[in-house]
Amino acid sequence: MLKELVVNAAPHETRVALIENGTIVEVFIEREDETSIAGNIYKGRVQRVLPGMQAAFVDIGFDQAAFIYVDDVLDTACREMYQKFEQDNDSDDTDNGNMQTGSMAGSHTSWKASFNQECSIEDLLTEGQEILVQVAKSSIGTKGPRITTHISLAGRYMVLMPTVDHIGISKRIENETERARLKDLVLSIRENKFGYILRTQANGIDENTIAKEIEFLNKNWESILTKSTTAGAPSLVYKDLTVTFRAVRDLLANEADKLIIDSKEEYENVQNFLERLMPDVKLSVELYQGRESVFDAYNIEGDVARALKKKVWLKSGGYIVIEQTEALVAIDVNTGRYVGKHNFDETILKTNLEAVKEIAYQVRLRNIGGIIIIDFIDMKKEQHKDKVMAHMNEAMKKDKSQTNILPLTELGLVQMTRKRIRRNLTRTLCEPCFYCNGDGHLLSGKSICHKIYRDLVSEAGDIMGNRFTVKVHPDIAQLLHGREKHLISSLEKQFSKPIAIYPEPHYHIEEYHIFESLVK
């Protein structure tokens, strides 16, 4: 399978698309004024401690305060107990394949949740206290950034976790002999009690390469500590790699075979980055010099635009509808124009199977995270239900983000979760409609006409003039002069007063104003 990374590097925006056999499967967007801060390390100041929520707000220099839970706080007094807890609950750590951040803090959440039942937030943090934190999740919607004191620094082959003594191996490395070899190598090389997670790329690497990476990550951590001692709070102590370099580090050579970039400056920077950090790997990096945008040349712009639509058509004629809310994402499957060829059950099964493939693709492309509810078309046969669920689990294996899929319910619903670290594509590229204020609906023209009718009736008794004037949007004026003319006629007859309708092109379609006037 041909996999390519296409990078559109503009002065104030960088877009990276992962292409598989000519089809875009993932897109990453980073803008100068709203760059993702996930992975960045800050020296922050505690603003408020919330015992009732076992959490705290921390000022890291943004308008929105960052949020930290008790299980993401660790102080010296609890460290020994925590390390013992780790050893008693040792488990494999998944590889961080999401590319958007070097942070691996989330991989220990389940352990820490149980452990920190012994520690309360007021014992660990006080208002005004300065702490070193890393952003685990950028702000999403109205929620501020999620932070942790469990710092992690990602390299090409491993992730350094200086606050814990734990050696983890990516689950994607399945050979037990290789897993044991890597763990023994790290234990024999490391000179401290720092934790390390070996990533998928570490499979088969030699001792010298591991030693160099450990040395590089340790020096990086030492420089961060040195800077943090003199930095004020709040302030940025360490900035994670840009989206382009994260793509090179995490996707190139592991997920992609070739990188195409349209900026000569960034092209040279990528070459230098490869020579400095990945000198042993020979990768294809191409400078795109075409006249049209590189995203247009690879037909990416249209795919991104379609990924913002709620309705997605299936090849058979069926379709899915993706509704994103604050709490969850609902996906509805419909047969649409597809009527099948044999029988009703087979028609439903084929539509659901086709929807499974498209849902897995859209979830990954749009970077949909959190709770996802999928409403499949109701199936009567158990073997059909089992087949759909088997295909669903198989389709989601391609997704590098952590997912959890629950069995099909009696109502034909599939509940799943997908790890959410950065904003989804819709939140990145769109904002609430100024016309409907994000409601997604407007009053119908007929409803607006009847509302005007009711207001005229309500105000008629207080109006001293002998004439009504109503200013409305042109579409509503057309209705009141046409299909809904009977409303105005009945009022004119009832009040014995003329009613003039005037179109105002600049009005919102739901906006109108009623005036009284005296006509001699």
Side-chain angles (χ1 to χ4, degrees):
M1 180 184 292
L2 177 62
K3 295 184 180 182
E4 299 171 305
L5 276 174
V6 179
V7 181
N8 171 222
H12 305 291
E13 179 188 62
T14 300
R15 300 183 297 171
V16 178
L18 176 60
I19 310 293
E20 292 182 358
N21 287 339
T23 301
I24 179 174
V25 293
E26 290 187 62
V27 61
F28 307 90
I29 299 173
E30 197 170 80
R31 289 172 177 160
E32 190 177 79
D33 59 341
E34 52 181 64
T35 299
S36 171
I37 60 172
N40 289 357
I41 299 174
Y42 295 86
K43 189 173 184 180
R45 179 178 287 108
V46 178
Q47 284 184 329
R48 289 180 62 199
V49 177
L50 309 172
M53 295 181 66
Q54 283 300 293
F57 286 113
V58 180
D59 179 14
I60 60 172
F62 293 89
D63 292 338
Q64 288 179 305
F67 194 74
I68 188 167
Y69 287 103
V70 64
D71 51 292
D72 284 316
V73 183
L74 185 67
D75 71 348
T76 306
C78 294
R79 189 180 302 275
E80 186 175 330
M81 190 198 316
Y82 179 71
Q83 290 175 351
K84 182 180 184 303
F85 183 85
E86 269 196 316
Q87 293 165 4
D88 294 342
N89 294 272
D90 193 17
S91 67
D92 294 334
D93 291 277
T94 186
D95 186 49
N96 180 31
N98 286 325
M99 195 204 74
Q100 65 271 18
T101 174
S103 173
M104 291 290 289
S107 62
H108 297 292
T109 301
S110 60
W111 302 1
K112 293 178 292 180
S114 300
F115 157 72
N116 272 305
Q117 290 176 0
E118 304 295 328
C119 302
S120 60
I121 193 72
E122 56 267 41
D123 295 330
L124 303 176
L125 296 177
T126 56
E127 292 183 8
Q129 178 182 347
E130 295 182 356
I131 57 173
L132 193 65
V133 296
Q134 185 170 40
V135 178
K137 291 184 182 179
S138 298
S139 57
I140 299 175
T142 58
K143 299 177 182 177
R146 170 82 179 269
I147 57 175
T148 177
T149 59
H150 301 281
I151 309 297
S152 58
L153 299 173
R156 184 182 171 211
Y157 299 107
M158 64 183 69
V159 176
L160 166 66
M161 300 180 297
T163 62
V164 295
D165 179 9
H166 172 73
I167 307 298
I169 311 292
S170 167
K171 287 183 178 179
R172 293 174 184 260
I173 301 177
E174 298 178 353
N175 185 285
E176 290 300 327
T177 303
E178 176 63 8
R179 294 174 67 85
R181 183 187 76 88
L182 290 172
K183 188 168 186 177
D184 291 341
L185 271 178
V186 173
L187 288 171
S188 65
I189 294 171
R190 69 171 186 169
E191 298 176 352
N192 45 47
K193 293 295 184 180
F194 289 171
Y196 297 90
I197 294 179
L198 279 297
R199 308 179 71 184
T200 305
Q201 294 95 317
N203 191 16
I205 63 170
D206 57 34
E207 181 177 352
N208 185 50
T209 303
I210 289 181
K212 285 182 179 179
E213 179 118 321
I214 288 177
E215 182 183 8
F216 170 78
L217 291 172
N218 287 356
K219 285 183 178 179
N220 202 4
W221 173 237
E222 288 172 9
S223 68
I224 290 170
L225 286 179
T226 301
K227 185 176 180 180
S228 69
T229 57
T230 57
S235 63
L236 175 66
V237 176
Y238 168 81
K239 184 175 176 60
D240 198 17
L241 296 175
T242 65
V243 66
T244 302
F245 294 122
R246 291 199 301 273
V248 172
R249 181 194 67 194
D250 297 339
L251 299 179
L252 199 58
N254 185 47
E255 293 289 329
D257 313 300
K258 181 180 181 181
L259 182 140
I260 302 99
I261 190 167
D262 63 355
S263 165
K264 186 175 182 180
E265 181 181 354
E266 283 294 279
Y267 169 78
E268 293 173 351
N269 290 337
V270 167
Q271 295 282 33
N272 293 333
F273 181 82
L274 289 172
E275 290 175 9
R276 182 165 56 91
L277 292 180
M278 303 163 66
D280 55 322
V281 179
K282 302 301 178 185
L283 298 167
S284 175
V285 181
E286 175 187 313
L287 175 62
Y288 173 80
Q289 296 177 299
R291 299 184 66 178
E292 63 178 341
S293 162
V294 66
F295 266 39
D296 282 326
Y298 282 81
N299 300 315
I300 298 171
E301 295 288 10
D303 290 333
V304 173
R306 281 189 290 275
L308 300 176
K309 303 292 185 183
K310 288 201 297 185
K311 181 181 285 189
V312 180
W313 287 97
L314 306 175
K315 291 181 180 179
S316 66
Y319 64 89
I320 62 173
V321 177
I322 302 172
E323 291 278 0
Q324 300 189 44
T325 72
E326 194 71 26
L328 54 83
V329 175
I331 302 177
D332 186 35
V333 182
N334 298 275
T335 54
R337 297 189 295 260
Y338 181 57
V339 295
K341 295 180 179 179
H342 302 291
N343 59 62
F344 187 58
D345 288 341
E346 290 298 326
T347 300
I348 290 174
L349 177 61
K350 182 176 179 181
T351 304
N352 281 340
L353 290 176
E354 197 173 351
V356 162
K357 184 178 179 182
E358 189 63 37
I359 289 168
Y361 171 72
Q362 291 293 334
V363 164
R364 185 180 174 192
L365 175 60
R366 300 177 187 224
N367 192 38
I368 296 173
I371 301 171
I372 304 169
I373 306 296
I374 306 169
D375 184 9
F376 285 107
I377 305 171
D378 190 37
M379 295 168 285
K380 295 180 180 179
K381 297 182 178 180
E382 289 299 323
Q383 60 264 41
H384 287 182
K385 295 178 182 179
D386 294 340
K387 190 171 185 179
V388 168
M389 288 307 300
H391 277 69
M392 187 73 197
N393 285 294
E394 185 63 30
M396 293 307 299
K397 284 182 180 179
K398 297 179 181 178
D399 195 338
K400 296 181 293 296
S401 286
Q402 182 180 340
T403 58
N404 181 35
I405 304 173
L406 298 180
L408 193 72
T409 69
E410 292 182 2
L411 296 176
L413 301 176
V414 170
Q415 305 167 72
M416 64 175 286
T417 59
R418 183 174 185 267
K419 189 173 182 181
R420 178 169 56 192
I421 295 178
R422 59 188 174 91
R423 292 185 298 174
N424 61 48
L425 194 61
T426 301
R427 287 192 181 275
T428 301
L429 297 179
C430 304
E431 62 183 18
C433 171
F434 68 90
Y435 217 59
C436 68
N437 294 318
D439 291 336
H441 298 281
L442 294 170
L443 282 175
S444 68
K446 189 168 187 175
S447 296
I448 296 169
C449 289
H450 281 270
K451 193 168 183 288
I452 292 171
Y453 174 89
R454 292 192 297 271
D455 284 354
L456 281 167
V457 171
S458 176
E459 294 182 22
D462 299 325
I463 292 180
M464 304 302 295
N466 57 10
R467 176 188 177 95
F468 287 115
T469 298
V470 184
K471 292 185 177 182
V472 297
H473 185 276
D475 290 352
I476 303 303
Q478 187 176 2
L479 278 174
L480 291 172
H481 283 302
R483 250 190 2 244
E484 304 300 327
K485 186 178 179 179
H486 63 281
L487 295 175
I488 301 302
S489 300
S490 66
L491 288 174
E492 288 178 328
K493 191 175 294 185
Q494 180 179 343
F495 302 139
S496 299
K497 296 177 182 179
I499 301 173
I501 307 297
Y502 286 101
E504 290 288 350
H506 65 280
Y507 273 23
H508 184 292
I509 196 166
E510 294 182 356
E511 182 182 0
Y512 61 87
H513 294 95
I514 300 172
F515 304 93
E516 61 171 311
S517 58
L518 286 168
V519 179
K520 295 181 179 180

